[in-house]
Amino acid sequence: MLKIGRFKETLVEGIIKTSGIASIFVVTLIFFFLLKEGVFLFKTVHLHDFLLGRSWYPISDPPEFGILPLIYGTLLVTAGAAVLAVPLGIGAAIYIAEVAPPKLKEILKSGIELLAAIPSVVLGFIGIVTIVPWARQFFHIPTGLTAFSGSVILAFMAMPTIVSIAEDSLHSVPKSYKEGAYALGATRWQTIYRVVIPACSSGMLAAVMLGIGRVVGETMAVMMVTGNSASLARGIFSPARTLTATIAAEMGETVQGSDHYFALFSIGIVLFLITFAINMTADFMIHRKRK
Amino acid sequence: MIHRVIYKSIFTWALLAAMPLSVVFAKQGSLQIKGSDTMVNLVQAWAEAYMEKYPDLFIAVTGGGSGTGIAALLNGTCDVAMSSRNITPKEMDLAAKKGIAPKEYKVALDGLAVVVHPSNPVSELTLDELAGIFTGHITNWKDAGGLDQRIVVLSREVNSGTHVYFKEHVLRKGNSKSKEEFSADALLLPSSQAIADEITQNPAAIGYYGMGYIGKDHKAVSIAKDAGAEAVDPTEEDVISGRYPISRPLFIYTNGEPNEQTRRFLDFILSDEGQKIVLSMDFVPFQK
């Protein structure tokens, strides 16, 4: 009996070990594949012209592969989404974790989880028929297909991530901290912002970073509402073209082995590096909290 | 992070497992057609009529843009490409490298309509004004005979044959040495439907798409070749007669000599019955 148990143990251990290694293996493969396809671009285009070039005309002759407007578009949309989603998300997390009565807490939590379950293309579609016409009329701008509309949609998508992680980190604050604060005569609000939030600030930052990571990688909804014009030096109420939308919109057109095809992979590398950096920062913050 | 990676890997494996299956299905008397969004509805109508007559062949039609279709033809992921522009020399080079000799069939004509919101007072434009608007030299409607408001320029994405055709024939006026480009401020929308939707709700917008898309909520502008010439509406007669300045042939490409199935379908398209369908889909029959 004991032997069979032992065998099962080893078997299960082996299986989960393989799955664990497989995921790392896949990530490595993906990265090397991106790198392998992307580097060919730099035989014909300078890295400098690629990263800092101001115009993106991939099918012209000669083509121009400057992704600065695309990076700018991604940053603009992301920053807008962060400004909207971070205060809302953190506020919601504090309310759920510290203030809300238990019943309401459950309702709010499942509501926010449901928000995460809405497919992005559905959000994009809703955005086209609601936010886009509204933004044009409300702000008196020429068109509602703007970075701002993208930011609003993305804020909805980042909210669930921010709320659930921020709420977890609020929960991880030891009860004794709060008890101590109350014992000193602090009110509930004083306790929250003087004791609880500072105690889990790194977890909060991680929540924000992971929410932003989600925003940077989002494609479909953004492509539908931002207007996709690759132009620099314009504000949040103008159209913008993101890195992700560029890959999605153009990859179907490219012939494998053309410069345009390689350029899209190079954009993939840039995107991978951005999200990797964001994830690493978030990880670093979570670990700092544990120490 | 690791969680997400595991999901992703499961998904990837599922896809890999499904790939051989799709190849098996594809072999059973089926024809994959891909390409121009302008032509999707037309080719779909041909396919439906054809499948009703000859149920032994299954025809799958998907859009994505002319470039997408030709790329798919060269990459071997479709049997037939539909394209609203000629194949480019660059694409021919790539085809030659892959050992494919694409064959071209002209199957119908299409007039490109330039459309604005019905409330827009502008109803005539010259080709020069159009080029000015789409390259970004004219940015206010008052410079084109309209109200004092900023022009919102709508274009298709670069994978669209309509985008390429418009650039070459309107922006560059057919001059292959011209370096004119769409304004960087032009909105690039993923489909003709997206352009139609934005035109419907935006009084300052101007866009272009195939004649078949003109709806009740859009106004098609008449186009004059130059300042002196008469402005012509995008109608069937004027596309056939060549008086309407922005019209173009629509093509079907096969990868080399078509096989029996494909050839029968092409014969059907070019038959009187097939060309009647062209008319019913608001395109213009090809004059043999």
Side-chain angles (χ1 to χ4, degrees), chain A residues 259-281:
Chain A
D259 277 352
H260 189 188
Y261 175 84
F262 296 138
L264 294 185
F265 272 98
S266 304
I267 293 182
I269 298 175
V270 172
L271 207 52
F272 187 95
L273 292 178
I274 293 175
T275 40
F276 186 70
I278 291 171
N279 265 326
M280 285 300 281
T281 323

Side-chain angles (χ1 to χ4, degrees), chain A residues 68-112:
Chain A
L68 197 60
L70 312 180
I71 294 177
Y72 174 73
T74 291
L75 293 182
L76 193 64
V77 173
T78 307
V83 166
L84 294 170
V86 169
L88 264 176
I90 299 287
I94 292 172
Y95 181 70
I96 290 173
E98 302 292 327
V99 185
K103 247 195 183 154
L104 189 60
K105 198 180 207 168
E106 283 315 305
I107 297 174
L108 281 175
K109 272 178 94 166
S110 42
I112 286 167

Side-chain angles (χ1 to χ4, degrees), chain A:
Chain A
M1 264 335 260
L2 198 73
K3 258 191 179 165
I4 297 175
R6 198 33 87 64
F7 173 69
K8 258 186 170 170
E9 191 101 333
T10 333
L11 185 73
V12 171
E13 214 179 282
I15 291 172
I16 53 175
K17 195 175 181 181
T18 324
S19 342
I21 293 172
S23 58
I24 295 176
F25 183 64
V26 168
V27 161
T28 325
L29 272 188
I30 291 175
F31 185 67
F32 277 108
F33 184 70
L34 276 178
L35 210 60
K36 174 179 145 288
E37 297 287 313
V39 287
F40 282 107
L41 177 74
F42 301 112
K43 276 187 182 167
T44 46
V45 181
H46 260 284
L47 183 64
H48 179 265
D49 293 340
F50 176 68
L51 289 176
L52 299 175
R54 296 172 148 259
S55 36
W56 176 256
Y57 285 110
I59 60 161
S60 293
D61 203 16
E64 288 182 75
F65 296 116
I67 64 166
L68 197 60
L70 312 180
I71 294 177
Y72 174 73
T74 291
L75 293 182
L76 193 64
V77 173
T78 307
V83 166
L84 294 170
V86 169
L88 264 176
I90 299 287
I94 292 172
Y95 181 70
I96 290 173
E98 302 292 327
V99 185
K103 247 195 183 154
L104 189 60
K105 198 180 207 168
E106 283 315 305
I107 297 174
L108 281 175
K109 272 178 94 166
S110 42
I112 286 167
E113 273 159 28
L114 208 61
L115 193 60
I118 302 174
S120 73
V121 66
V122 174
L123 276 178
F125 188 59
I126 292 173
I128 281 189
V129 294
T130 56
I131 297 169
V132 169
W134 172 81
R136 182 176 62 81
Q137 278 153 11
F138 189 78
F139 297 110
H140 297 285
I141 43 181
T143 174
L145 295 165
T146 55
F148 172 77
S149 306
S151 297
V152 173
I153 299 280
L154 287 177
F156 280 118
M157 301 183 71
M159 276 274 284
T161 312
I162 296 179
V163 174
S164 57
I165 295 174
E167 200 221 326
D168 278 352
S169 72
L170 282 163
H171 267 299
S172 68
V173 175
K175 241 199 168 123
S176 53
Y177 285 26
K178 277 190 271 178
E179 282 160 357
Y182 288 139
L184 289 172
T187 62
R188 186 146 77 170
W189 173 236
Q190 283 169 338
T191 311
I192 290 172
Y193 90 100
R194 280 278 169 75
V195 177
V196 180
I197 294 180
C200 67
S201 60
S202 58
M204 292 271 195
L205 275 172
V208 170
M209 293 310 279
L210 287 173
I212 290 176
R214 171 112 175 70
V215 165
V216 170
E218 178 44 42
T219 308
M220 199 56 217
V222 181
M223 186 159 81
M224 291 167 83
V225 299
T226 53
N228 304 321
S229 71
S231 157
L232 263 174
R234 293 188 306 167
I236 187 106
F237 292 113
S238 300
R241 189 177 183 85
T242 62
L243 294 164
T244 48
T246 305
I247 298 180
E250 296 175 14
M251 74 180 173
E253 184 258 353
T254 61
V255 177
Q256 286 166 21
S258 62
D259 277 352
H260 189 188
Y261 175 84
F262 296 138
L264 294 185
F265 272 98
S266 304
I267 293 182
I269 298 175
V270 172
L271 207 52
F272 187 95
L273 292 178
I274 293 175
T275 40
F276 186 70
I278 291 171
N279 265 326
M280 285 300 281
T281 323
D283 248 22
F284 174 74
M285 281 163 175
I286 289 173
H287 286 296
R288 199 178 59 177
K289 175 186 74 177
R290 292 214 182 112
K291 266 180 207 165

Side-chain angles (χ1 to χ4, degrees), chain B residues 7-287:
Chain B
Y7 286 136
K8 275 180 199 159
S9 62
I10 290 174
F11 180 66
T12 317
W13 288 119
L15 273 181
L16 284 177
M19 247 152 54
L21 281 179
S22 63
V23 172
V24 171
F25 281 118
K27 288 253 163 83
Q28 287 176 350
S30 79
L31 195 60
Q32 291 284 340
I33 306 183
K34 209 172 195 173
S36 166
D37 277 331
T38 311
M39 293 171 71
V40 164
N41 291 338
L42 174 63
V43 177
Q44 183 69 42
W46 276 329
E48 276 165 17
Y50 186 83
M51 283 190 285
E52 210 162 275
K53 279 177 89 170
Y54 309 100
D56 59 315
L57 181 65
F58 178 74
I59 304 175
V61 185
T62 42
S66 301
T68 307
I70 292 176
L73 191 74
L74 301 190
N75 295 337
T77 50
C78 73
D79 308 305
V80 171
M82 41 190 183
S83 174
S84 55
R85 60 165 171 84
N86 284 99
I87 194 165
T88 63
K90 223 177 181 177
E91 284 163 342
M92 281 307 267
D93 285 351
L94 275 158
K97 253 185 230 161
K98 289 175 188 257
I100 300 171
K103 239 183 142 218
E104 178 182 287
Y105 300 86
K106 203 190 247 187
V107 291
L109 295 173
D110 179 28
L112 274 193
V114 175
V115 283
V116 296
H117 193 268
S119 73
N120 194 320
V122 176
S123 56
E124 282 184 25
L125 289 169
T126 64
L127 278 182
D128 278 337
E129 282 174 321
L130 265 188
I133 288 172
F134 280 89
T135 51
H137 297 309
I138 301 177
T139 57
N140 196 307
W141 275 113
K142 71 171 192 262
D143 298 323
L147 305 170
D148 180 15
Q149 58 182 350
R150 210 184 146 77
I151 301 176
V152 176
V153 176
L154 309 179
S155 165
R156 290 286 310 278
E157 277 286 355
V158 294
N159 60 353
S160 154
T162 320
H163 171 107
V164 175
Y165 181 87
F166 204 81
K167 182 167 91 185
E168 283 170 2
H169 291 80
V170 178
L171 271 52
R172 299 183 170 177
K173 306 204 176 67
N175 175 0
S176 60
K177 291 204 182 98
S178 162
K179 291 272 171 254
E180 292 290 349
E181 291 286 355
F182 278 102
S183 152
D185 288 329
L187 276 64
L188 300 183
L189 302 187
S191 65
S192 295
Q193 192 55 48
I195 291 188
D197 288 347
E198 177 70 2
I199 294 278
T200 306
Q201 56 102 9
N202 192 337
I206 183 167
Y208 59 86
Y209 50 56
M211 262 166 66
Y213 272 97
I214 302 176
K216 275 185 294 210
D217 306 325
H218 315 145
K219 184 167 81 174
V221 178
S222 349
I223 309 293
K225 270 205 179 98
D226 42 59
E230 184 196 352
V232 184
D233 279 338
T235 60
E236 234 173 76
E237 297 157 76
D238 287 324
V239 168
I240 293 178
S241 72
R243 285 177 68 230
Y244 183 70
I246 329 172
S247 65
R248 57 177 177 175
L250 300 177
F251 299 102
I252 281 209
Y253 286 94
T254 56
N255 56 2
E257 216 41 60
N259 61 18
E260 179 60 22
Q261 285 173 351
T262 316
R263 199 185 48 73
R264 270 170 51 201
F265 182 56
L266 281 168
D267 286 345
F268 172 78
I269 287 176
L270 296 171
S271 70
D272 288 345
E273 193 184 350
Q275 292 297 304
K276 237 179 230 155
I277 294 174
V278 173
L279 208 58
S280 72
M281 299 301 294
D282 291 325
F283 288 99
V284 181
F286 165 57
Q287 306 287 299

